[in-house]
Each structure stands twice: as C-alpha cells, then as structure tokens.
Amino acid sequence: MLALVSAGLGAAIAFLKPEEHQRAAHARRRAYLAIEVEARFALTRAASSGQPVPLTIYRDLLERRRMIIAGQVDELVQLVAVGGASTKTENSEGGVA
C-alpha cells in the first residue's frame, strides 16, 4: 500500500513540475522588481529635473508588465539585455529634457 501511495505522489510531482513553476515565479518576481526600480528611477529623475515623466516611459513599463503577465519573461530579458527597451526610454528622454 505504501509503495502505491509513493508511486502516486512521485507521478504527481513529475506531472506538476514544481521546480519549473518555482523558477518561473522567481523570474517574474525579478522582472517586476526591475520594473519597480526603473519606475522609481524615472520618478526621481523627473522630480529632480522639474519635468514630468515622459509618456513613453510609462508605455514602456506597461509593455514590460504586459509581457510578464503573458509569460514572456525570457523575451523581456532579451529585449532589455539587447538594450531595446532602455534605448527607447533614453531616446525619448533626450528629446524632452
């Protein structure tokens, strides 16, 4: 009987793949923290310059949030690593300031 329960639990763990879910949750958490840091940085920068935060920064942050919700964390990491998102943000700020 114990062997049957053990086999059933082993199959359930293999089916549910908790390690993958945990890794995905950690990746989402890191992505949300990165968005939070960038938002705080943008607000601090805007407050120190006396200018409002450009709408392009808000749009970029919302797009990143959408990607996290859609489960596209890997694509988001590649986008940020290549500089696609941060380049857009810097270019838009350069025109406003």
Side-chain angles (χ1 to χ4, degrees), residues 7-25:
L9 290 175
I13 288 174
F15 176 74
L16 296 175
K17 301 176 185 167
E19 298 88 15
E20 290 182 25
H21 291 288
Q22 184 180 22
R23 269 184 258 140

Side-chain angles (χ1 to χ4, degrees), residues 34-40 42 53 55-68 89:
I35 288 175
E36 179 185 359
V37 167
E38 287 201 41
R40 288 178 187 267
V53 177
L55 287 177
T56 54
I57 292 176
Y58 287 124
R59 287 186 190 121
D60 181 47
L61 294 173
L62 285 173
E63 175 60 19
R64 291 183 192 192
R65 180 178 173 268
R66 185 204 60 78
M67 290 178 77
I68 294 169
T89 303

Side-chain angles (χ1 to χ4, degrees), residues 24-88:
H26 284 293
R28 284 191 305 272
R29 180 175 181 261
R30 286 190 306 270
Y32 276 122
L33 286 174
I35 288 175
E36 179 185 359
V37 167
E38 287 201 41
R40 288 178 187 267
F41 181 72
L43 289 171
T44 303
R45 195 173 191 183
S48 67
S49 69
Q51 298 287 329
V53 177
L55 287 177
T56 54
I57 292 176
Y58 287 124
R59 287 186 190 121
D60 181 47
L61 294 173
L62 285 173
E63 175 60 19
R64 291 183 192 192
R65 180 178 173 268
R66 185 204 60 78
M67 290 178 77
I68 294 169
I69 292 170
Q72 300 172 325
V73 177
D74 293 334
E75 293 88 350
L76 177 61
V77 169
Q78 290 175 352
L79 176 71
V80 173
V82 170
S86 61
T87 303
K88 281 193 276 185

